[in-house]
Amino acid sequence: MTERTSPSESALVEPALTGSTRPDTIRADTIRIRAGFELHFELTQPTPMLFVVEPTERPGQRILAARKRVSPDLPLSETSSFIDIYGNTVWRIQAPAGRLEVAHDLLMEVSAHKDPVIGHLPKTPIEALPGNLLHYLLPSRYVDSDLISSEAWRLFGDIYGGWAQAQAVCDHLQATLQYGAGSTSSTSAREAYQSGYAVCRDFAHAGVAFCRALNLPARYVCGYLPDIDVPPDFRPMDFHAWFEVWLDGAWRTFDARHNFPRVGRILIATGRDASDVAFNTAFGSSVLAHMKVWADETEATELPPLSEGFPQTPTVEGLRLSEAWVDRPRLT
Amino acid sequence: MTERTSPSESALVEPALTGSTRPDTIRADTIRIRAGFELHFELTQPTPMLFVVEPTERPGQRILAARKRVSPDLPLSETSSFIDIYGNTVWRIQAPAGRLEVAHDLLMEVSAHKDPVIGHLPKTPIEALPGNLLHYLLPSRYVDSDLISSEAWRLFGDIYGGWAQAQAVCDHLQATLQYGAGSTSSTSAREAYQSGYAVCRDFAHAGVAFCRALNLPARYVCGYLPDIDVPPDFRPMDFHAWFEVWLDGAWRTFDARHNFPRVGRILIATGRDASDVAFNTAFGSSVLAHMKVWADETEATELPPLSEGFPQTPTVEGLRLSEAWVDRPRLT
Amino acid sequence: MTERTSPSESALVEPALTGSTRPDTIRADTIRIRAGFELHFELTQPTPMLFVVEPTERPGQRILAARKRVSPDLPLSETSSFIDIYGNTVWRIQAPAGRLEVAHDLLMEVSAHKDPVIGHLPKTPIEALPGNLLHYLLPSRYVDSDLISSEAWRLFGDIYGGWAQAQAVCDHLQATLQYGAGSTSSTSAREAYQSGYAVCRDFAHAGVAFCRALNLPARYVCGYLPDIDVPPDFRPMDFHAWFEVWLDGAWRTFDARHNFPRVGRILIATGRDASDVAFNTAFGSSVLAHMKVWADETEATELPPLSEGFPQTPTVEGLRLSEAWVDRPRLT
Amino acid sequence: MTERTSPSESALVEPALTGSTRPDTIRADTIRIRAGFELHFELTQPTPMLFVVEPTERPGQRILAARKRVSPDLPLSETSSFIDIYGNTVWRIQAPAGRLEVAHDLLMEVSAHKDPVIGHLPKTPIEALPGNLLHYLLPSRYVDSDLISSEAWRLFGDIYGGWAQAQAVCDHLQATLQYGAGSTSSTSAREAYQSGYAVCRDFAHAGVAFCRALNLPARYVCGYLPDIDVPPDFRPMDFHAWFEVWLDGAWRTFDARHNFPRVGRILIATGRDASDVAFNTAFGSSVLAHMKVWADETEATELPPLSEGFPQTPTVEGLRLSEAWVDRPRLT
């Protein structure tokens, strides 16, 4: 990760370099991130696989370049993509037995600003919510909000204001959950909450669950989160999960795992919970033999040649997935 | 319920009475059902409520007449409907504190034939499924198919054929689950399965869960099921739940609760599980003080005047719902 | 039509007690309308037909009762409905050769208030419109907005404000178009505008066309419009068409045909133009031999028995439709 | 363009071993295409613009790499994308006054095989079509199928079979339309047909119009078409338009402009007609000062560095667009 000063400082000292016809200060509003992953699976039989890994353009993020590699080089009939009911792009790969390697390399432009904090935003009454948001109030596979409803109202029922309630949920999870793997791919929000241990996925599920119990529409988000303006983390990078709450007419970012505003999020997909947007779903037994994820700020204006390989970043090796029909590697 | 002979017999003895210009035998293909419900809720505070109770026209069912009553007579701004992501019609009611009465009365025409049995239908390989069906393979709130995957493959993995596998699931559930309430509105498929007791909702969840674990797209269905060609049942009638499996390009009906072909189903809605298509969702504490459901074959060609009231049918009184934020009365 | 005072008058004598459950005050906010139609077609061959005639519940309208009659009494396999891409309910009927009769009878509750007029509403800049509204800026079959763009900007370009522009469009159409049939089912907005004659469909198309040309998202609406608080009209009643413009976050009602606020609209469907929401589309040659439409205020609380027949209302007889593959009877 | 033998020839020397993971045989089934565009607009005022230019993964095409350049370097808040009602990805750009440059560069993998010809495919009866396809039978802005219905049935009514009818339409258009610009961005199918002159857009519109008139669901397609296995064309390359017809459960490719099977199509988007999927829609006056499109077979496995620039290909300069509010540069 490169050293960088804060956005406002950098505007003073870093002249815009890249062919812009707009004032220098525009450059100060965005940064570029190289993000991507390399996954190796060992498959004992032909296996249909889904990957939810492709960001789209949204206000706040722009794809400058993208490339993808699948090995072996599958026939075109065995790879495709579709848009799911949440609007996410889903890759389908009909993988043969043996080793499957999938890599994705992105050059993204994202906002240089931290996650907004708008603490006064009110809660929208249920009766004023658009109909298509109501299902974000219902429980889902890993968000057993119906089972923590009493707890939610006991803890947060007296807090006035939508943002304030959602923030109080995050603060509470920070204070009561210890970061660490105790969960599996089938752990629900309540189970993680009661265990006292959580990884990012669990933090997000628990945040979503408490918010839904409080009648705040909430959804699970997966994406990349580079280490910018934070102390270096020497563990292998991984995909990240956080959540969004519908407040005052828009989805707002909350991250109970880190619980302070971050720079550089790349949103990949959203859904009701990790079941909808697992970065990988394998319909069969699989071993994730190798996993490498990168998300780093860069000054580059294009992706380097493939011959240079992917970024040097710590990797995860030999992660044996469960033998369940749906294998979902853990997010950190 | 009226006495009736079998469809083939009735074709011989019941001349068509209703202005048809087609041969008499057409009448033998359909029957009319009067179906509906009357629900009284006691609400301690203004409560947003959703009702998923409105059938639509589909191949096999036609709405001849419908009427609705909501009391108190709410302002138009506090009642509306929308189409959810599954295509179901959802009523929204912003109910004031006090007693809320909602009634719906339908005259439906449905097929006179029993649920089809097409035992040779094959399983569609995952890679050949349309993308928008893949989420019917994933676990959902009450369908923890990921947790019974090993059991599913142990029990049914050797069975060849899609219909045969789904039917074997139903047979197994019939043989191992005893009808009876042991579950609550938060019971999952696996929990009900392990308890040994199930009501229709649990039978449907368990059927869906095993099918998804076997890579058969499956969805939960709620509707009306009249007692036709079956011994009379003296318990209060209720909404019914069953499930559908995608086989050979279409959704196919399975009913693990009854497990033999029935006549007269009226499909109200479909979804991933009961969370999506609860007939009532109250965002607040509510008491379902009175519940009456009817679904009976009729010779009538229109709904009787309101002054005649609703059908005489046993009712459920005084069912106290949980105080969770989402109250879902039980289906039988 | 029953006598009734205007909403503003009634407000003087019936104090509005919002939140009250007293019937009299509630009645002041809503009225009931009996609406429906009876259509007879002569078909020389089996003909697939679509009907877009079914209102749904929306803020401002509630269905109290509905019944439908199709003769001959078609097999269930030859009638169904689906939801189109605009959210409208579409009936499909596979009609045999010969006479087809379709009737629909509705008891609706709608607002007792006139169409709102909110003259200060601003135009939303294109860049701030939700993506899914942008196609309401593009031309469509009968809305050749691209061809009247110069005219639109010449006439209305100097008007400031979204509502003001849309209202100016209506005023201009009122002033320059004479009510009367000069158009056919294939007449476009520009063609009708240039001809100087228009029926309601043409008024709506022209209004939509000018608004789109002015970068105001606009859509075509079909529905029922009873004669309330207006002089009686002795011509046969028909379906009506008007249009909506997206202003300040919601669709707003405009009616260039009548061009003053009306009471009692029942919205059936919306689309880009009459091609999307023709009340009837016949895929084959058809003669609309008989047409009766009703939409009248009523004190009744339920639909009368079928034996009483439909309301006494003037009918259209012997309308020969074009022989084009898509026959669309004219709206008035 | 590189030399290559035809697929049938290559099949002789490179035995196809389906299911093999050996690179050489896999290569025989696919080719790689570098495709993209560079557009310069001159804008006299800030202008909202839409671009429908991004292919997605589908059976038959895979994106290996993609990069995008927009100059000036707009703030992230002024660029985004959304999925339209047809499933296409649409870029939104809020362009400032002055010069806007937009470039896209893709490395695609597509089938090495020619467009399939399956002449015996039957026509699906209207009553058997899925509901969501019916709107592909209706007329749309540039597809005035209602106006050429008689002509359609006169010319093609006696032809038996769905594919055969669609092919006869293409053959007829080939025989009667001369390639050449006589049309503008507002020319409809019938107008082009009657003029005797057509560019690819007109050929596609006319094909769609005749097919819809014949009750064949048909949609307009835009994309790239490289010159493979055809004589070189020295005119500047452009986007291409063709059409698809729904036959036997799937969309099938027809191209009335070329009217023989081609290799290397890259499908960008589909819609009812060019109004839905114009590659560029400008809400304001614009001049397309420079246009360069490329689509060439390549052996490369990654996109070359940006410093090498885009492919050498003839360009279009100084195309003045109409001053209508929607400017749509012509497809060839």
Side-chain angles (χ1 to χ4, degrees), chain D residues 191-209:
Chain D
E191 290 165 352
Y193 177 67
Q194 292 181 341
S195 79
Y197 290 88
V199 292
C200 68
R201 176 188 130 123
D202 304 311
F203 275 104
H205 281 155
V208 169

mmCIF file of all heavy atoms in Angstrom, chain D residues 191-209:
data_model
loop_
_atom_site.group_PDB
_atom_site.id
_atom_site.type_symbol
_atom_site.label_atom_id
_atom_site.label_comp_id
_atom_site.label_asym_id
_atom_site.label_seq_id
_atom_site.Cartn_x
_atom_site.Cartn_y
_atom_site.Cartn_z
ATOM 1 N N GLU D 191 -40.852 3.299 -43.677
ATOM 2 C CA GLU D 191 -40.319 4.381 -44.506
ATOM 3 C C GLU D 191 -39.064 3.935 -45.254
ATOM 4 O O GLU D 191 -38.900 4.219 -46.436
ATOM 5 C CB GLU D 191 -40.014 5.605 -43.634
ATOM 6 C CG GLU D 191 -41.282 6.287 -43.113
ATOM 7 C CD GLU D 191 -41.027 7.269 -41.976
ATOM 8 O OE1 GLU D 191 -39.879 7.320 -41.473
ATOM 9 O OE2 GLU D 191 -41.973 7.957 -41.578
ATOM 10 N N ALA D 192 -38.183 3.229 -44.548
ATOM 11 C CA ALA D 192 -36.974 2.737 -45.214
ATOM 12 C C ALA D 192 -37.345 1.728 -46.296
ATOM 13 O O ALA D 192 -36.813 1.758 -47.418
ATOM 14 C CB ALA D 192 -36.034 2.106 -44.192
ATOM 15 N N TYR D 193 -38.258 0.858 -45.951
ATOM 16 C CA TYR D 193 -38.665 -0.182 -46.897
ATOM 17 C C TYR D 193 -39.223 0.440 -48.169
ATOM 18 O O TYR D 193 -38.893 0.029 -49.288
ATOM 19 C CB TYR D 193 -39.699 -1.086 -46.225
ATOM 20 C CG TYR D 193 -40.261 -2.171 -47.107
ATOM 21 C CD1 TYR D 193 -39.456 -3.219 -47.546
ATOM 22 C CD2 TYR D 193 -41.593 -2.145 -47.501
ATOM 23 C CE1 TYR D 193 -39.971 -4.216 -48.354
ATOM 24 C CE2 TYR D 193 -42.121 -3.141 -48.304
ATOM 25 C CZ TYR D 193 -41.312 -4.175 -48.739
ATOM 26 O OH TYR D 193 -41.818 -5.161 -49.537
ATOM 27 N N GLN D 194 -40.023 1.456 -48.005
ATOM 28 C CA GLN D 194 -40.629 2.078 -49.179
ATOM 29 C C GLN D 194 -39.633 2.918 -49.966
ATOM 30 O O GLN D 194 -39.794 3.114 -51.170
ATOM 31 C CB GLN D 194 -41.824 2.934 -48.746
ATOM 32 C CG GLN D 194 -42.970 2.059 -48.232
ATOM 33 C CD GLN D 194 -44.183 2.859 -47.809
ATOM 34 O OE1 GLN D 194 -44.085 4.057 -47.566
ATOM 35 N NE2 GLN D 194 -45.327 2.189 -47.701
ATOM 36 N N SER D 195 -38.585 3.398 -49.281
ATOM 37 C CA SER D 195 -37.595 4.229 -49.967
ATOM 38 C C SER D 195 -36.698 3.411 -50.880
ATOM 39 O O SER D 195 -36.123 3.917 -51.836
ATOM 40 C CB SER D 195 -36.728 4.971 -48.942
ATOM 41 O OG SER D 195 -35.737 4.097 -48.414
ATOM 42 N N GLY D 196 -36.551 2.139 -50.575
ATOM 43 C CA GLY D 196 -35.680 1.293 -51.384
ATOM 44 C C GLY D 196 -34.222 1.343 -50.961
ATOM 45 O O GLY D 196 -33.405 0.598 -51.492
ATOM 46 N N TYR D 197 -33.895 2.188 -50.001
ATOM 47 C CA TYR D 197 -32.527 2.285 -49.517
ATOM 48 C C TYR D 197 -32.470 1.954 -48.026
ATOM 49 O O TYR D 197 -33.389 2.297 -47.281
ATOM 50 C CB TYR D 197 -31.965 3.691 -49.749
ATOM 51 C CG TYR D 197 -31.720 3.969 -51.205
ATOM 52 C CD1 TYR D 197 -32.742 4.494 -52.001
ATOM 53 C CD2 TYR D 197 -30.490 3.676 -51.789
ATOM 54 C CE1 TYR D 197 -32.540 4.728 -53.349
ATOM 55 C CE2 TYR D 197 -30.276 3.912 -53.133
ATOM 56 C CZ TYR D 197 -31.304 4.434 -53.916
ATOM 57 O OH TYR D 197 -31.084 4.651 -55.245
ATOM 58 N N ALA D 198 -31.389 1.360 -47.633
ATOM 59 C CA ALA D 198 -31.312 0.975 -46.228
ATOM 60 C C ALA D 198 -29.870 0.852 -45.779
ATOM 61 O O ALA D 198 -29.002 0.427 -46.543
ATOM 62 C CB ALA D 198 -32.022 -0.367 -46.001
ATOM 63 N N VAL D 199 -29.605 1.251 -44.542
ATOM 64 C CA VAL D 199 -28.356 0.877 -43.882
ATOM 65 C C VAL D 199 -28.695 -0.227 -42.883
ATOM 66 O O VAL D 199 -29.846 -0.655 -42.782
ATOM 67 C CB VAL D 199 -27.669 2.094 -43.219
ATOM 68 C CG1 VAL D 199 -27.178 3.061 -44.302
ATOM 69 C CG2 VAL D 199 -28.598 2.766 -42.241
ATOM 70 N N CYS D 200 -27.699 -0.680 -42.122
ATOM 71 C CA CYS D 200 -27.924 -1.878 -41.315
ATOM 72 C C CYS D 200 -29.090 -1.694 -40.339
ATOM 73 O O CYS D 200 -29.872 -2.613 -40.111
ATOM 74 C CB CYS D 200 -26.658 -2.294 -40.580
ATOM 75 S SG CYS D 200 -26.122 -1.157 -39.292
ATOM 76 N N ARG D 201 -29.186 -0.501 -39.804
ATOM 77 C CA ARG D 201 -30.278 -0.214 -38.897
ATOM 78 C C ARG D 201 -31.638 -0.378 -39.570
ATOM 79 O O ARG D 201 -32.583 -0.920 -38.990
ATOM 80 C CB ARG D 201 -30.101 1.237 -38.402
ATOM 81 C CG ARG D 201 -31.177 1.761 -37.529
ATOM 82 C CD ARG D 201 -30.947 3.267 -37.304
ATOM 83 N NE ARG D 201 -32.160 3.980 -37.561
ATOM 84 C CZ ARG D 201 -32.758 4.783 -36.676
ATOM 85 N NH1 ARG D 201 -32.206 5.006 -35.521
ATOM 86 N NH2 ARG D 201 -33.887 5.379 -36.981
ATOM 87 N N ASP D 202 -31.741 0.076 -40.792
ATOM 88 C CA ASP D 202 -33.011 -0.040 -41.511
ATOM 89 C C ASP D 202 -33.307 -1.495 -41.872
ATOM 90 O O ASP D 202 -34.449 -1.938 -41.793
ATOM 91 C CB ASP D 202 -32.965 0.802 -42.780
ATOM 92 C CG ASP D 202 -32.641 2.262 -42.499
ATOM 93 O OD1 ASP D 202 -33.287 2.853 -41.615
ATOM 94 O OD2 ASP D 202 -31.732 2.802 -43.145
ATOM 95 N N PHE D 203 -32.277 -2.208 -42.305
ATOM 96 C CA PHE D 203 -32.467 -3.632 -42.581
ATOM 97 C C PHE D 203 -33.003 -4.344 -41.330
ATOM 98 O O PHE D 203 -33.929 -5.151 -41.408
ATOM 99 C CB PHE D 203 -31.142 -4.281 -43.007
ATOM 100 C CG PHE D 203 -30.814 -4.154 -44.468
ATOM 101 C CD1 PHE D 203 -29.859 -3.250 -44.911
ATOM 102 C CD2 PHE D 203 -31.447 -4.965 -45.413
ATOM 103 C CE1 PHE D 203 -29.537 -3.139 -46.268
ATOM 104 C CE2 PHE D 203 -31.125 -4.862 -46.763
ATOM 105 C CZ PHE D 203 -30.172 -3.946 -47.198
ATOM 106 N N ALA D 204 -32.398 -4.017 -40.200
ATOM 107 C CA ALA D 204 -32.836 -4.677 -38.969
ATOM 108 C C ALA D 204 -34.261 -4.269 -38.605
ATOM 109 O O ALA D 204 -35.093 -5.111 -38.278
ATOM 110 C CB ALA D 204 -31.872 -4.346 -37.825
ATOM 111 N N HIS D 205 -34.556 -2.985 -38.699
ATOM 112 C CA HIS D 205 -35.913 -2.540 -38.390
ATOM 113 C C HIS D 205 -36.938 -3.200 -39.306
ATOM 114 O O HIS D 205 -38.007 -3.626 -38.862
ATOM 115 C CB HIS D 205 -36.019 -1.022 -38.512
ATOM 116 C CG HIS D 205 -35.479 -0.276 -37.332
ATOM 117 N ND1 HIS D 205 -35.024 0.997 -37.402
ATOM 118 C CD2 HIS D 205 -35.340 -0.648 -36.036
ATOM 119 C CE1 HIS D 205 -34.631 1.403 -36.197
ATOM 120 N NE2 HIS D 205 -34.794 0.402 -35.365
ATOM 121 N N ALA D 206 -36.623 -3.263 -40.586
ATOM 122 C CA ALA D 206 -37.581 -3.852 -41.528
ATOM 123 C C ALA D 206 -37.755 -5.341 -41.246
ATOM 124 O O ALA D 206 -38.866 -5.872 -41.295
ATOM 125 C CB ALA D 206 -37.107 -3.625 -42.963
ATOM 126 N N GLY D 207 -36.661 -6.013 -40.926
ATOM 127 C CA GLY D 207 -36.771 -7.438 -40.595
ATOM 128 C C GLY D 207 -37.621 -7.653 -39.361
ATOM 129 O O GLY D 207 -38.504 -8.524 -39.330
ATOM 130 N N VAL D 208 -37.385 -6.837 -38.355
ATOM 131 C CA VAL D 208 -38.169 -6.958 -37.123
ATOM 132 C C VAL D 208 -39.643 -6.662 -37.421
ATOM 133 O O VAL D 208 -40.548 -7.359 -36.944
ATOM 134 C CB VAL D 208 -37.629 -5.996 -36.052
ATOM 135 C CG1 VAL D 208 -38.578 -5.918 -34.866
ATOM 136 C CG2 VAL D 208 -36.245 -6.450 -35.583
ATOM 137 N N ALA D 209 -39.891 -5.649 -38.224
ATOM 138 C CA ALA D 209 -41.277 -5.245 -38.497
ATOM 139 C C ALA D 209 -42.037 -6.356 -39.222
ATOM 140 O O ALA D 209 -43.166 -6.697 -38.839
ATOM 141 C CB ALA D 209 -41.292 -3.955 -39.322
#
